[in-house]
Each structure stands twice: as C-alpha cells, then as structure tokens.
Amino acid sequence: MEGLRVLLADDHPIVMDGFAMTLASAGLEIVGRARTPEEALAQYQALRPDVALLDIRFGTRQTGLDAARQILQQDADANLIFLSQFDQDSLIREAYRTGARAFVSKDCDPAELLEAVTKAAAGSLYFPRAIAERLANLSVRGDMSPQSVLNERDLEIFRLMAEGLTNAEIAERLELSLKTISNTSQAIKEKLDAHRPAHITRLAVKYGLIEP
C-alpha cells in the first residue's frame, strides 16, 4: 500500500484533511486536492494518480459523477472511489454504473477507507457489506429511479424541471429550442409517471438529484 499516489476531491476542507491524515499515516502520498469537479478533472489529467477519491456532491452544477465520466473517457483504467454523506440507493447504483471501484461514506472507519483504496488501486471492487447488499437487492427488484429510466440529456432536463425552471428557461439554459424542451419534458413526465411539479421535485429529492 505504501507509495500509492492519491488524489482527493471534496469541497469540505475538514473532510479532506481527515482523509488525508488517515491515508498519509498509512504511507500513501496525497498528490493533489481538488475543491470542484473541474479541478478534479484537471488535476487527474496532470497528476495521473493511482487512485482518485471523488465526492459526489460539490454544491455546483457539475457533480463528482460528471467528473468521473470525463476521467473515464480519457482513462478507462482509472481507479475511482466515490465519497458521500448520502447513501441513497440511486446514488450507489449510479456510482457503480459510472465505473467506480468503490463507494464509501464520509463517516467510514479509517480501516474501511484504507481497504477501499487498496482494493481500488489493485483494480478490484470494494463496497461495504451494507452497500453491497443494497446493490444486490436493487438488481433483484429492479430500479425505476430517474437515473435508470432517463438518458443523460433527459436527466439534465429533469433536474432543471425539478428545480422549478420553466420550459422556456430550460431552453435558454441549454441553448435548445422551446419545442424540443416541451416535447422532451412531456416525454420525461410520461416515462416517470410524474405530471405535477411537486411530484417531479419529490422524485428528484428522493433519488439524490437535487438538494431537499
């Protein structure tokens, strides 16, 4: 484990400091710290760490999942671990689908964090037992979350709908025609069987797509 090069990406300095201390005490080298998804991508490109730990939520439009997708487009063998204080089923499954090697909560034990980093660096998967069981249950019973039903563009539009933007505002934000947004938003409502604004917002909150 000693000598592994690790990149940390989280917008909470205290969290990053705690994780850095845990990893450094085990002989790992913290080669970079990022505060935004954009910084995480840039630092990964520049530093090429053995493992990158990415927060899912950054309080910005882009998320750790977005950064991970961009990293994996450039380096399919990237060893990524997602950190989150949230553990909704939808986030766990989305992290897994994105290509994460591991998913750990921000309040995990140091031993759990070190095991996740070690496994990820070796190209293996690591999900704590409770999370692994939830992933298995999701596979058995199926997943009707927006993340599983909608494609990436539809999901972006759904988030904006859930935030209360009108079709005209969404069209302007995404630089698309009003007709395109109107047709897409209607299709999204049909796919999710969610036709009222309040229902759409509740779904987005439930599945961790927007803050409550």
Side-chain angles (χ1 to χ4, degrees):
M1 185 192 310
E2 287 192 12
L4 287 178
R5 303 171 66 254
V6 180
L7 168 65
L8 294 177
D10 193 293
D11 59 350
H12 292 91
I14 294 177
V15 173
M16 272 211 287
D17 287 345
F19 275 70
M21 288 178 61
T22 296
L23 297 173
S25 68
L28 281 70
E29 180 184 1
I30 309 302
V31 294
R33 298 189 186 198
R35 296 287 299 273
T36 68
E38 293 82 3
E39 285 182 9
L41 175 61
Q43 290 193 30
Y44 187 91
Q45 292 169 331
L47 300 169
R48 294 289 171 167
D50 297 310
V51 178
L53 285 83
L54 305 173
D55 190 11
I56 289 181
R57 298 276 184 81
F58 281 87
T60 61
R61 185 176 176 187
Q62 279 214 330
T63 67
L65 294 169
D66 296 320
R69 293 187 188 101
Q70 294 176 71
I71 288 171
L72 288 165
Q73 283 178 356
Q74 299 175 20
D75 180 7
D77 296 322
N79 298 318
L80 307 179
I81 298 174
F82 284 121
L83 306 171
S84 182
Q85 61 186 351
F86 304 92
D87 61 354
Q88 293 103 323
D89 289 345
S90 58
L91 286 179
I92 295 169
R93 183 152 186 168
E94 189 71 5
Y96 180 72
R97 285 177 170 174
T98 297
R101 297 286 189 199
F103 183 107
V104 294
S105 64
K106 291 186 178 181
D107 59 356
C108 68
D109 292 332
E112 189 173 78
L113 174 64
L114 293 171
E115 184 174 2
V117 171
T118 303
K119 291 281 183 68
S124 302
L125 297 177
Y126 176 80
F127 289 82
R129 180 175 177 180
I131 290 179
E133 289 175 351
R134 289 167 68 173
L135 272 172
N137 289 335
L138 279 171
S139 298
V140 170
R141 71 172 184 261
D143 181 6
M144 291 304 293
S145 68
Q147 291 96 323
S148 68
V149 174
L150 305 177
N151 62 36
E152 190 169 343
R153 173 45 65 88
D154 288 353
L155 198 59
E156 183 177 17
I157 293 172
F158 173 74
R159 284 194 187 101
L160 296 175
M161 292 167 62
E163 290 173 357
L165 274 69
T166 66
N167 285 346
E169 290 169 334
I170 296 173
E172 182 178 0
R173 172 82 63 87
L174 301 181
E175 299 182 347
L176 295 171
S177 71
L178 178 58
K179 182 177 180 180
T180 295
I181 296 300
S182 297
N183 291 339
T184 302
S185 63
Q186 185 58 40
I188 289 171
K189 292 174 184 177
E190 296 293 339
K191 289 177 183 178
L192 298 175
D193 192 23
H195 299 276
R196 296 181 178 181
H199 189 185
I200 289 170
T201 300
R202 282 198 299 271
L203 267 179
V205 171
K206 176 181 178 181
Y207 288 101
L209 292 168
I210 64 172
E211 295 286 353

